[in-house]
Amino acid sequence: MANQSTPTAFLLVGFPDYHDTQILHSVMFVFIYLTAIVVNLLIITAVILDHHLHSPMYFFLINLSLIDVCFISTTLPKSIAISLTNNKMISFSGCVTQVFLVVTFVGGELTLLTVMAYDRYVAMCHPLQYSLIMNWDACIQMAAACWIGNMFDAVLLTSFTFRLDFCGSNIIRQYFCDIPQLQNISCSDTRVNQLLIFIIGFSVDAFCFAFIFASYGYIFSAVLRIPSVQGRYKAFSTCTPHLTVFTLFFVTAVFSYMRPKALSSPTVDLVSAVLYTVLPPVLNPIIYSFRNREIQAAIWKIPPKLKNLIA
């Protein structure tokens, strides 16, 4: 492939080739993947079946769980297959698809958390106008904007990445097709490419982070004005799951993309990728189910046959 500008395939070599390590990696990833799928589907099913949860907050939670299912399904099954078959090859079209989906769902996670912060802001700061502002038409439009906007963003970032020439090595030192790793193996000048991706990514991310922080500034100010301790606790408890999920996503994303180059190495790059692609889809539904009694009650109401089918 040394003389080809467009390779027909890439090799994913994120994990070591040792047999025992591959077995451990595959078993661990299978367990994590099944856990993520089951708990997210339980939340989706519980919200759909319980009419008491047919509100904007849980509508957005369904979308978050759906994104988590799609996100983790984009990377882990391929990595598990590589460990079991020792076939590290991914086709060029498969790599393009994986980059597109990863960018879509990472962006979807962030923008949906932003919309959920707005929902909590309206509920806490404008409770009398909540049903008017967060009507179903507005909720559907915001959810659609998250999905469509991030698909458009993913088309741009994927196009910028695969306009590069790959005339040298086709080895990606990661367990999935990741934009930074693809830039590393490109034989083109990637400076303009990196600048464009940075501008697009930073503008979207900065807006979302600033909006979420501002929303919680107003929320905390409103909650602290509640006279009773019980009232403040109840108000905080409705925001705690979302704030915890956002903090998890924020910390893992910052560590993955904004850490100093001095902290970059193949091992650290691999660990950071696992942090932001695996932890949020697994922990998000667990955090919401543990911190939300309504979700717990709705899950217990799911018919046993349907629970067995999901599990």
Side-chain angles (χ1 to χ4, degrees):
M1 296 180 66
N3 296 322
Q4 296 179 6
S5 60
T6 304
T8 57
F10 295 98
L11 295 177
L12 301 175
V13 294
F15 290 98
D17 290 332
Y18 305 117
H19 180 66
D20 292 342
T21 304
Q22 286 182 323
I23 293 176
L24 177 63
H25 151 237
S26 60
V27 170
M28 180 180 66
F29 269 18
V30 166
F31 174 77
I32 291 173
Y33 180 66
L34 293 178
T35 300
I37 296 298
V38 169
V39 292
N40 277 291
L41 289 181
L42 280 174
I43 285 184
I44 292 172
T45 305
V47 173
I48 291 175
L49 294 181
D50 192 335
H51 70 277
H52 294 102
L53 301 183
H54 291 179
S55 64
M57 181 175 71
Y58 294 108
F59 169 73
F60 294 128
L61 180 58
I62 285 181
N63 279 268
L64 183 65
S65 291
L66 183 59
I67 285 177
D68 286 335
V69 168
C70 296
F71 188 15
I72 202 167
S73 297
T74 301
T75 57
L76 284 202
K78 179 62 178 177
S79 182
I80 294 169
I82 288 174
S83 295
L84 295 177
T85 63
N86 205 30
N87 181 5
K88 301 178 182 296
M89 187 172 294
I90 183 171
S91 66
F92 183 85
S93 60
C95 191
V96 173
T97 302
Q98 201 171 55
V99 168
F100 170 79
L101 293 176
V102 167
V103 174
T104 297
F105 298 132
V106 169
E109 190 101 9
L110 178 58
T111 53
L112 197 58
L113 287 173
T114 305
V115 171
M116 293 172 78
Y118 177 69
D119 172 74
R120 293 298 83 206
Y121 160 74
V122 175
M124 295 296 172
C125 300
H126 304 283
L128 299 180
Q129 297 176 297
Y130 180 78
S131 59
L132 179 64
I133 297 174
M134 300 301 295
N135 59 74
W136 281 112
D137 287 341
C139 292
I140 292 171
Q141 289 172 8
M142 285 188 282
C146 289
W147 285 93
I148 297 172
N150 282 292
M151 287 181 184
F152 179 74
D153 188 37
V155 168
L156 290 178
L157 295 181
T158 305
S159 300
F160 289 153
T161 300
F162 288 97
R163 63 184 285 274
L164 301 172
D165 293 326
F166 300 96
C167 50
S169 173
N170 68 330
I171 297 176
I172 299 175
R173 300 193 178 280
Q174 190 54 273
Y175 75 96
F176 65 97
C177 287
D178 196 20
I179 289 178
Q181 297 297 328
L182 287 164
Q183 290 176 344
N184 288 341
I185 65 173
S186 172
C187 54
S188 302
D189 185 352
T190 62
R191 286 177 295 182
V192 174
N193 207 60
Q194 290 174 344
L195 179 61
L196 290 172
I197 291 177
F198 175 79
I199 291 173
I200 294 174
F202 181 79
S203 59
V204 174
D205 294 348
F207 171 79
C208 291
F209 288 139
F211 189 92
I212 292 173
F213 282 122
S215 297
Y216 271 100
Y218 284 110
I219 289 171
F220 290 150
S221 177
V223 170
L224 291 175
R225 291 197 296 268
I226 298 176
S228 68
V229 175
Q230 185 177 2
R232 288 197 296 270
Y233 174 79
K234 185 177 180 180
F236 272 125
S237 66
T238 63
C239 299
T240 301
H242 174 266
L243 189 58
T244 305
V245 168
F246 168 69
T247 302
L248 172 68
F249 180 79
F250 178 77
V251 170
T252 55
V254 167
F255 179 76
S256 298
Y257 286 103
M258 300 183 69
R259 68 184 185 276
K261 288 186 177 180
L263 295 178
S264 183
S265 69
T267 302
V268 174
D269 290 344
L270 182 62
V271 171
S272 66
V274 171
L275 286 178
Y276 84 90
T277 60
V278 174
L279 280 187
V282 175
L283 295 183
N284 287 354
I286 294 175
I287 291 170
Y288 267 100
S289 60
F290 272 116
R291 301 291 300 182
N292 192 308
R293 292 182 180 178
E294 291 181 326
I295 288 290
Q296 294 177 20
I299 291 176
W300 281 109
K301 292 179 184 177
I302 297 176
K305 289 184 179 180
L306 190 54
K307 282 185 181 179
N308 294 333
L309 181 63
I310 294 173

